[in-house]
Amino acid sequence: MAQVPQTFFDALAVRTWCGHALRTLGGAREEIDAINVYPVADGDTGTNLYLTLESAVGAVEAVFSGYEVGAAEGTGPSLAEAVRAMAHGALIGARGNSGTILAQLLRGMAQVLATEGEAPHTDAQGLRLALRHAADSARRAVAHPVEGTVLTVASAAADAAEGAEGDCGTVARAAYEGARAALAVTPGQLAVLARAGVVDAGGRGLVAVLSALVETFTGEAPGAPVPVRPMHTHAEAVAEAHARGVAAAAGREGCADGAEPGGPAFEVIYLLEADDRAVDRLRARLDALGDSLVVVGGDGLWNVHVHVDDAGAAMEAGVEAGRPYRIRITHFGLGDVHTRAGGPPPREPVQRAVVAVVPGEGLAGLYAEAGATTVLARPGEPPASGELVDAVRRAHAREVVLLPNDAELRHTAAAAAEQARTEGIRVALIPTRSAVQGIAALAVHEPERRFDEDVVSMTSAAGATRYAEVVMAERQSWTMAGICQAGDVLGLIEGDVAVIGADVTTTAETVLDRMLQAGGELVTLVLGDETPDTVADRLEARVRESYLAVDTVVYRGGRQGALLLIGVE
């Protein structure tokens, strides 16, 4: 049934377009994942595009919800508010190279459409200008653009739109047809596509997004897009791509300067708060460190994506430029990235893996050394269920033990586990409420045991670990221990405030004493990046002096939010 078309670009058109695009990408996700071969055969381009747009949709819906609750009939957000929300949502939710560039394309359109004044860009000419600015800004965001990628497809769409006369529907259809034609010839521009016999995956995703734009302004979806493999049906192409090992499970799609076989081992992605000059210096430094560099954003907020061998150096560069957060570092395993054409097939899944949410870089390293796949959580920025599902896929295992390490993530982790089970992965969720409980569970993890036995053992170890944290109060508040003031040091045991103090060491000693009154054999201390080593030294000395046969281990957790995490087993 045909949809009621939008006649010009307003906030409702933005909302409609985003909804259509999310549905269209959802339907094409598997096909796009399956044809992803450049610069690596990692099989997540469709998923990355979908998750990026899902974040944009959420931001747009939030803007509309703000007007719909208690608002007078007929009121709603402006075009500028809607497109800015779309761009911001895509920026903060961008996944992989493909999602990062899609975010910049949407931001480029928003910069034109959000222009307010005597002649707002709501007509066909505004759409032409928006598509051109989007294509140009996306190309500038990539360190070394390569033809035959999504950048080529975006430029072709803008070129076709500029030559179209008529309303927004006519311009949108011209852009779609231009992108469709450009996508068809990408194998002739990029050798790796020609060898695999497929079109560019990122470009295929953009064609889907432009198809939704046509549907928004005409009320009807256009015809079928370019087949992913010439002279083949889509189903045949997907099947053949899987058979040849085109699809794996790492999570990036390349359209910058390509990572050739034997390329960088890590994908590093983070949001960055920094000024323009600092980002210019960051671009130069990251460009020297690796490849597939894409930096998008502006106005103080950026999304950084790069492939490197030295992930630590990429993070140091970000810290020097500003404040990086929402950090994701993926180590590409042998056989599922940088795969040579005609090389070995994708590696077989391992039997069992552990996926854990951790609150700091230090703990991420500790968990990784123990063999876990990690998801880094920043204070106030809990991971979404999609991030946990991605991590489960990255673990590439038939069986996965999921450790949320936060009571607030219980429902998020449960949703992720359920999603992973629909993909044929056996998932056990252990409801760990702190990273120290996760450490205890990892310590008894034995992949050689039967799955159920391993889960029971890990659950028992986590449950036998009492946990506490020492934090700084941000504001005056009522607590179970009395009224605290901003700047007070709080000691929380099992999630409840038990001690209010003025000194980190003294408060931590009091908390530890209370915990050890119930007994214990091992104390685990995890120090935040702002906590001096002297705190751990004093606590270790107290345990030695006051508690016989109790051992202490100390770790550095990095920027974990809490000044100190304490576990007692």
Side-chain angles (χ1 to χ4, degrees), residues 199-519:
V199 296
D200 179 66
R204 171 65 182 88
L206 180 58
V207 169
V209 173
L210 291 172
S211 169
L213 188 64
V214 175
E215 185 175 3
T216 299
F217 288 114
T218 67
E220 296 180 354
V226 175
V228 294
R229 190 186 297 274
M231 305 304 294
H232 287 57
T233 67
H234 289 185
E236 290 170 337
V238 171
E240 290 187 18
H242 279 293
R244 290 185 52 173
V246 169
R252 63 189 175 115
E253 187 272 348
C255 48
D257 58 321
E260 294 301 326
F266 294 93
E267 178 187 51
V268 178
I269 308 172
Y270 49 83
L271 291 179
L272 178 70
E273 292 179 356
D275 59 38
D276 291 3
R277 293 181 62 185
V279 170
D280 288 341
R281 293 191 296 270
L282 175 66
R283 280 194 177 100
R285 183 167 177 187
L286 292 180
D287 192 25
L289 285 175
D291 61 33
S292 294
L293 172 62
V294 186
V295 182
V296 304
D299 302 320
L301 180 62
W302 308 83
N303 191 306
V304 179
H305 174 284
V306 68
H307 301 163
V308 292
D309 278 321
D310 190 344
M315 286 309 310
E316 287 175 9
V319 171
E320 290 178 7
R323 186 178 82 89
Y325 60 104
R326 288 198 183 180
I327 302 161
R328 292 195 301 275
I329 301 175
T330 302
H331 181 268
F332 298 113
L334 296 175
D336 59 347
V337 294
H338 303 300
T339 313
R340 296 177 184 273
R347 62 184 172 94
E348 284 294 312
V350 296
Q351 184 60 33
R352 189 174 309 157
V354 175
V355 172
V357 180
V358 291
E361 300 93 336
L363 280 174
L366 175 67
Y367 272 72
E369 288 176 6
T373 297
T374 61
V375 178
L376 193 61
R378 290 294 186 193
E381 299 167 5
S385 61
E387 292 180 73
L388 301 188
V389 174
D390 283 350
V392 170
R393 292 172 181 145
R394 288 204 317 270
H396 202 51
R398 298 182 179 91
E399 301 168 339
V400 170
V401 179
L402 182 57
L403 306 175
N405 291 339
D406 186 339
E408 298 297 322
L409 288 177
R410 180 183 49 158
H411 295 302
T412 300
E418 189 61 35
Q419 173 62 36
R421 291 183 188 117
T422 66
E423 299 178 11
I425 304 170
R426 188 180 185 188
V427 181
L429 171 61
I430 298 179
T432 48
R433 294 174 289 173
S434 170
V436 292
Q437 289 188 323
I439 292 173
L442 265 179
V444 300
H445 170 53
E446 291 186 14
E448 307 308 319
R449 276 193 299 223
R450 290 179 54 240
F451 185 61
D452 291 340
E453 292 176 355
D454 198 27
V455 171
V456 168
S457 178
M458 294 176 72
T459 302
S460 177
T465 302
R466 300 186 301 283
Y467 67 94
E469 60 181 339
V470 178
V471 301
M472 191 76 71
E474 297 181 354
R475 63 185 68 87
Q476 184 186 62
S477 180
W478 290 87
T479 75
M480 294 185 66
I483 301 175
C484 71
Q485 304 295 328
D488 283 347
V489 179
L490 307 180
L492 289 79
I493 300 177
E494 305 282 329
D496 294 322
V497 177
V499 181
I500 300 175
D503 174 76
V504 175
T505 303
T506 303
T507 302
E509 284 182 327
T510 303
V511 169
L512 186 56
D513 285 340
R514 292 192 185 183
M515 296 178 75
L516 286 172
Q517 285 175 2

Side-chain angles (χ1 to χ4, degrees), residues 41-65:
D42 53 14
D44 249 359
T45 292
T47 299
N48 287 337
L49 290 169
Y50 181 86
L51 292 173
T52 300
L53 196 57
E54 184 180 47
S55 181
V57 168
V60 172
E61 290 301 320
V63 168
F64 272 87
S65 296

Side-chain angles (χ1 to χ4, degrees), residues 60-85:
V60 172
E61 290 301 320
V63 168
F64 272 87
S65 296
Y67 277 88
E68 289 167 355
V69 177
E73 186 176 353
T75 62
S78 66
L79 172 60
E81 289 174 312
V83 293
R84 285 170 182 156

